[in-house]
Amino acid sequence: MFSPQGPTLRELTVQALSSVEHGYDLLAPKFDHTPFRTPDRILEATGEALRGRGPSGGLFEAGLDVCCGTGAGIGVLRSLCRERIVGADFSTGMLAAARRTVAAPPRTEPAVTYVRADARALPFTAAFDLAVTFGALGHFLPAERAAVFAGVHRALRPGGIFAFPIAAPPSPRSALYWTLLGFDAVMRVRNLVWRPPFVMYYRTSSLGAVRADLRAAGFAVEVVPVRGAARRPDGSPGWGLVVARKP
């Protein structure tokens, strides 16, 4: 399914009937061959939008990839950080895939470490001046976002930045709108009738809700236009970059 190297329909079904953690352990070896991985163009545009925002000549000292998965966002941090990088995820399978697929950095680039951690209880305090996450917010119920954002806030040094891309809501007249609505409805039914739950919703992390939760966690929030972002039919940007700064 998706590509010859990607998971089969049977493999996806088994994954979807597992817990989030075990499901991603199962999916990890083939995750990069699915559309669930953040596209390179979004990763590259994120790095470009953050370049020059760091305290040390435009660079950041230390970076954290929250819910790093197979390490797609590590390349973004390598281009922005000069001392060290940490990728955190609670799936041992995804962390193992990241260690295999992300090449060891040259001596001139920051060291990369992977840590098994639940994003709702990050074990860091004032350790980073940049944190990013890609495609992970849908795995947290709205009531759980406060713990995630509080943990990132605690992990950042004063003046640190937490950044992530966020998609503009599709028009109700688009096929994508109804696809996402249908997906979330199926997941809600699945979680009502099957245990353990698998939390993955596309419509629970609107910009307004996310902005309010970030501000409640103590961040100052802006949405940065991204050069080259895909456009919606009405000409507005298809996505932007949320940049939340710890005062």
Side-chain angles (χ1 to χ4, degrees):
M1 191 173 184
F2 305 130
S3 75
Q5 296 80 32
T8 64
L9 181 59
R10 179 182 180 281
E11 288 172 328
L12 282 176
T13 301
V14 172
Q15 182 239 349
L17 294 176
S18 305
S19 66
V20 178
E21 179 182 352
H22 184 54
Y24 275 101
D25 287 345
L26 295 173
L27 184 60
K30 299 183 177 181
F31 180 80
D32 286 348
H33 301 288
T34 73
F36 308 131
R37 180 190 183 275
T38 302
D40 287 339
R41 58 182 173 78
I42 292 180
L43 297 170
E44 292 164 3
T46 296
E48 182 178 334
L50 291 173
R51 197 159 290 120
R53 290 176 174 263
S56 302
L59 291 176
F60 298 87
E61 300 297 324
L64 172 67
D65 188 353
V66 182
C67 303
C68 67
T70 57
I74 297 299
V76 175
L77 292 177
R78 278 182 174 174
S79 70
L80 298 169
C81 301
R82 65 180 190 177
E83 283 192 2
R84 68 187 183 97
I85 295 167
V86 174
D89 203 288
F90 79 159
S91 165
T92 55
M94 296 293 264
L95 290 172
R99 292 187 181 100
R100 287 194 303 267
T101 59
V102 179
R107 290 189 178 184
T108 55
E109 292 190 8
V112 180
T113 303
Y114 293 100
V115 175
R116 185 175 183 273
D118 189 327
R120 295 164 295 190
L122 290 171
F124 310 110
T125 301
F128 306 95
D129 48 9
L130 175 62
V132 297
T133 193
F134 296 97
L137 292 185
H139 288 303
F140 303 103
L141 297 172
E144 297 175 315
R145 278 199 304 264
V148 176
F149 292 166
V152 176
H153 189 276
R154 185 174 59 253
L156 290 171
R157 299 163 181 155
I161 286 175
F162 177 35
F164 53 89
I166 192 165
S171 166
R173 296 188 295 273
S174 69
L176 179 60
Y177 175 92
W178 295 102
T179 299
L180 299 182
L181 182 68
F183 180 92
D184 281 11
V186 169
M187 291 303 296
R188 291 184 188 282
V189 172
R190 177 252 187 250
N191 289 333
L192 282 174
V193 302
W194 192 267
R195 291 291 184 272
F198 188 93
V199 177
M200 179 61 221
Y201 298 113
Y202 283 101
R203 292 165 45 83
T204 58
S205 301
S206 68
L207 176 58
V210 167
R211 193 199 303 262
D213 288 345
L214 286 167
R215 286 175 172 164
F219 287 101
V221 186
E222 62 176 320
V223 180
V224 177
V226 179
R227 188 172 66 84
R231 295 280 165 175
R232 301 198 298 170
D234 63 2
S236 61
W239 67 281
L241 188 69
V242 173
V243 177
R245 187 179 292 273
K246 179 177 180 176

